Amino acid sequence: MMFGIEFVPNMEISKLVDYCVLAEENGFGAVWITDHYNNRNVYATLAMVASRTSEIKLGPGVTNPYHIHPALTASAIATINEISGGRAMLGIGAGDRTTLEKLGIQWNKPLTYMRESVEVIRQLLEGKSVNYDGKVVRIQGARLDFKAGDVPIYIGAQGAKMLELAGQLGNGVLVNASHPKDFEFAVSQVKKGMEKAGKTEFDVVAYTSMSVDNDAQKARNSAKIVVAFIVAGSPDMVFERHGIPLEDVSKVREALNNAFTKGDWPGVGKAVTDDMLEAFSIAGSPDEVTEKVIELKKIGVTQVVAGSPIGPSKKDAIKLIGSEIIPKLA
Ligand code: F42
């Protein structure tokens, strides 16, 4: 079981890189950097992380084929692979409709887009000259003029069809979830895709919202805002799976609205219920978190990513995970 960590480049890059160095020193095996146009650029960030670290694997978690052409993604991740001495991984997903529409990009046919983009990226990374006449991706005689080396491709997926596609086309999947129920579903879907492709090796990554502190209540309180955003963006099917009443969900959405319009952020914390925290985060003391990670491992998760908030203090949480949790999972 590998431990990874996620950072959003919404802070000064020097600070983010310091966190990555600390993560490497504390036994984390992978760092994933999120990709949104309004934050610092993901590949510039990865280049800086690569130059200050020596062992940790690194990649976008996740980019998308709508805002960066698949050929440019291939070139960018191959460059990171060269700079990092072969440590790059490519995380790619369908992107987020609201964000893409702000840029005037139409978000259509996400499954087709993902399938065709991943096929093209893989061929380019293998050094092939690519002719591809897809439904949405068309390439004529494109080729990278430098060696990419091996770059595993991870697909961001939550939906039934995308999970299956990930199993079929990817080397791994990044599932944005924290609870065993979601992973029972995800692993069964991924296996269908793996079977289609005749695969046995695959990295199932739990891309969690994690919050660790010796004071368990403080850890849980820290996760509330992140959990509120997850609740606001999740489909009803997910609430049914976790037995969360839709009226509680409405309260969270209303509280977030009030926070944006009136600055009432404490109201958001109050609207998030314990059941929501349980379903959408792994938050608590190091022992509690270890127990939950072990449950995920039993279901077939092979990498756990500590995603936002990580803890009330990111620095302390990284050290706690390194000293109290990672050694117990070896
Ligand atoms: N998004 C970002 O923009 N930036 C990030 O940094 C980011 C990080 C991230 C990390 C992990 C992760 O799992 C996701 C992350 N995301 C990030 C979100 C990601 O970009 C995607 O939005 C998300 O993973 C896609 O979720 P999904 O698996 O639910 O897929 C969507 C597209 C979906 O609706 N899938 C359904 C399914 O069953 O899989 C149905 C898809 C479908 O069939 N659609 C159409 C149809 O006909 O019904 C079209 C069919 C076609 O041809 O495409």
Side-chain angles (χ1 to χ4, degrees):
M1 170 71 97
M2 190 203 274
F3 231 95
I5 194 159
E6 171 226 53
F7 290 107
V8 180
N10 58 0
M11 59 184 104
E12 275 190 32
I13 295 303
S14 56
K15 191 171 173 191
L16 184 151
V17 174
D18 285 345
Y19 285 138
C20 293
V21 170
L22 188 67
E24 182 173 77
E25 286 167 0
N26 278 277
F28 287 77
V31 56
W32 299 94
I33 306 293
T34 63
D35 185 9
H36 295 98
Y37 79 91
N38 51 316
N39 288 331
R40 276 83 171 169
N41 179 266
V42 65
Y43 293 106
T45 306
L46 285 165
M48 293 294 290
V49 175
S51 71
R52 291 259 323 270
T53 55
S54 56
E55 283 179 23
I56 202 162
K57 292 184 179 165
L58 67 170
V62 299
T63 188
N64 72 74
Y66 290 93
H67 75 182
I68 306 180
H69 189 281
L72 290 172
T73 292
S75 164
I77 200 65
T79 307
I80 298 298
N81 206 36
E82 182 179 296
I83 296 171
S84 66
R87 291 184 280 137
M89 321 167 283
L90 175 64
I92 185 163
D96 154 59
R97 181 194 291 270
T98 327
T99 313
L100 290 167
E101 284 180 354
K102 275 190 192 152
L103 306 179
I105 298 171
Q106 254 198 321
W107 193 74
N108 55 7
K109 293 200 169 298
L111 277 175
T112 311
Y113 237 103
M114 283 296 292
R115 172 183 291 282
E116 296 186 358
S117 302
V118 169
E119 282 174 356
V120 161
I121 291 168
R122 204 180 276 290
Q123 288 184 37
L124 287 168
L125 292 175
E126 284 167 358
K128 291 181 180 149
S129 174
V130 182
N131 285 298
Y132 193 95
D133 188 21
K135 288 201 179 85
V136 291
V137 179
R138 287 176 197 97
I139 308 261
Q140 287 164 2
R143 191 170 68 92
L144 292 185
D145 288 335
F146 63 106
K147 268 201 159 58
D150 281 342
V151 179
I153 301 181
Y154 287 73
I155 294 177
Q158 278 73 238
K161 293 183 192 165
M162 197 66 83
L163 286 161
E164 190 175 335
L165 185 80
Q168 193 183 357
L169 290 191
N171 301 92
V173 66
L174 300 173
V175 187
N176 221 182
S178 303
H179 195 276
K181 277 188 193 161
D182 296 309
F183 284 94
E184 276 158 13
F185 170 72
V187 168
S188 69
Q189 286 305 116
V190 164
K191 279 190 177 156
K192 287 185 197 165
M194 287 172 66
E195 273 163 27
K196 272 192 191 162
K199 254 181 231 172
T200 49
E201 294 239 327
F202 199 79
D203 199 6
V204 177
V205 184
Y207 209 88
T208 73
S209 162
M210 189 174 281
S211 183
V212 190
D213 196 89
N214 281 325
D215 180 338
Q217 195 50 48
K218 208 169 145 197
R220 280 193 268 277
N221 288 342
S222 268
K224 284 187 173 175
I225 300 290
V226 178
V227 166
F229 278 102
I230 298 173
V231 168
S234 295
D236 289 355
M237 187 195 82
V238 172
F239 302 119
E240 276 164 33
R241 191 183 291 154
H242 292 283
I244 292 172
L246 292 181
E247 58 196 81
D248 288 356
V249 172
S250 302
K251 283 181 194 157
V252 170
R253 290 182 175 150
E254 208 176 299
L256 271 174
N257 222 8
N258 284 338
F260 280 117
T261 52
K262 300 178 196 149
D264 182 14
W265 288 99
V268 176
K270 282 183 202 141
V272 170
T273 63
D274 287 348
D275 285 350
M276 289 173 184
L277 274 177
E278 180 65 23
F280 302 119
S281 70
I282 299 186
S285 68
D287 281 349
E288 287 168 342
V289 170
T290 306
E291 208 175 293
K292 290 190 171 167
V293 171
I294 289 171
E295 268 185 66
L296 296 183
K297 189 179 173 184
K298 284 184 194 151
I299 297 167
V301 168
T302 44
Q303 181 184 153
V304 166
V305 173
S308 302
I310 304 173
S313 148
K314 286 196 199 312
K315 225 172 159 177
D316 292 346
I318 291 169
K319 288 183 189 164
L320 269 180
I321 294 171
S323 60
E324 305 282 329
I325 302 178
I326 292 176
K328 292 184 187 140
L329 297 167

